[in-house]
Amino acid sequence: MRSAIHATFGDPATVLTLGELPLPQPAAGEVRVRTLLSPIHNHDLWTVHGRYGYKPQLPAIGGSEAAGIVDALGDGVTGVRIGQRVAIAGVHGTWAEYFLAPAAGLVPVPDSLSDEAAAQLIAMPFSALSLLEFLQVAPGDWIIQNTANGAVGKTLAMLARARGVHTVNLVRRDAGVDELSALGIDHAISTAQAGWQDRVRALLGSASLRAAVDSIGGQASGELLSLLGEGGLLVSFGTMAGEPMQIASGDLIFKQATVKGFWGSKVSTAMPAQTRRALIGELLRLATSGELQLPVEAVYDIADAAAAAAASLQPGRRGKVLLKP
């Protein structure tokens, strides 16, 4: 089968090549899926670099999420049929014509949902929805996030709005405000503008921020903490700056604030099955209704995976870059 593989760890734009690997055979409890579309996530690129928590045996096929058609069933698999369209995340080797997946992790895709949306339905949106649950906010509450024009940021803003939660969406470029506006996401503020903190306070009026999501680290962490209300929660979701969080002890003490880390993989593993099913159902409903938009920047053939990886890192993207076998 055609596959986007890497024989060494390194820059995906350099080490990814088209290869031919044997068709995998499903073990007990597994299914084989014929890939329709597979997205390129940042954690996929980190894995190719060899810098992620999971390090595959080389040569390896990239990719961790996809939409596809069930092609073969392993022993003991029930409740799944050959020819069924499904989505799944948290697997390996989806940048290929076929991949293996645990039958228990499959999400049946309704006819009303496009392949483009189904291919990116689980990983980022589920992380965003799990994060929203983690914040323990209620309708009418206000939260703030930086890098709001990233994949998770856009999704979090849309999911929060559907639940009646207000979001202040910080972006680092003025153009990011327009990117969010095109998706119907309001309350966007560019931190490239002087006095942006005052604009946040003016937007809030008498309301206070219940929680903040920090995907940058460094100085940005302290900036979010300074805006939190009393008893607020600061969540570290990423470290784009590659620096330790810089937070003022005075803000932490006098606001009686709490700082927590969020790792989607750990949260998902500990999540009760009933809660997971409910959240997946919520995502399907919102994606089908259009309240959750999952735009696509471009679709590349897997033969061009290196170019696709480079494209996925370009600033100002309007959506995900997808690979098609």
Side-chain angles (χ1 to χ4, degrees), residues 51-292:
R51 299 174 184 169
Y52 198 56
Y54 162 74
K55 205 165 185 177
Q57 182 178 350
L58 299 177
I61 305 172
S64 58
E65 181 177 20
I69 305 295
V70 175
D71 175 74
L73 307 179
D75 290 341
V77 172
T78 59
V80 180
R81 58 179 173 78
I82 291 176
Q84 186 173 12
R85 190 168 63 121
V86 296
I88 192 165
V91 292
H92 306 303
T94 59
W95 297 348
E97 290 182 297
Y98 299 88
F99 64 92
L100 299 179
L106 298 176
V107 175
V109 177
D111 293 341
S112 55
L113 197 63
S114 69
D115 291 342
E116 290 79 6
Q120 50 178 318
L121 178 70
I122 309 300
M124 295 299 105
F126 188 79
S127 288
L129 192 54
S130 299
L131 175 58
L132 191 57
E133 287 272 299
F134 188 79
L135 298 180
Q136 295 185 324
V137 287
D141 285 343
W142 282 85
I143 63 176
I144 189 170
Q145 61 169 336
N146 51 30
T147 66
N149 56 333
V152 171
K154 293 174 183 175
T155 305
L156 179 64
M158 287 185 273
L159 295 173
R161 180 177 58 197
R163 287 189 171 190
V165 176
H166 307 296
T167 308
V168 180
N169 300 295
L170 303 180
V171 295
R172 297 194 293 175
R173 299 176 294 108
D174 292 347
V177 175
D178 294 331
E179 292 173 26
L180 295 182
S181 179
L183 292 172
I185 298 172
D186 54 9
H187 303 149
I189 294 175
S190 170
T191 59
Q193 296 291 322
W196 65 266
Q197 292 98 330
D198 292 332
R199 291 187 60 198
V200 172
R201 296 185 181 99
L203 174 63
L204 291 171
S206 61
S208 64
L209 289 167
R210 293 276 297 146
V213 179
D214 174 31
S215 297
I216 299 177
Q219 180 180 335
S221 306
E223 292 171 343
L224 291 183
L225 180 59
S226 71
L227 292 167
L228 272 182
E230 185 174 350
L233 170 65
L234 173 63
V235 173
S236 176
F237 185 77
T239 177
M240 186 179 294
E243 301 173 3
M245 301 174 75
Q246 299 172 22
I247 55 178
S249 56
D251 283 334
L252 193 62
I253 294 168
F254 299 122
K255 291 175 183 285
Q256 288 292 279
T258 302
V259 181
K260 291 184 178 181
F262 178 91
W263 187 16
S265 177
K266 287 288 186 181
V267 172
S268 178
T269 299
M271 184 179 291
Q274 184 176 355
T275 301
R276 179 179 174 84
R277 284 194 297 269
L279 295 184
I280 293 293
E282 184 175 352
L283 289 176
L284 284 168
R285 177 178 58 81
L286 293 174
T288 301
S289 70
E291 294 177 82
L292 172 60

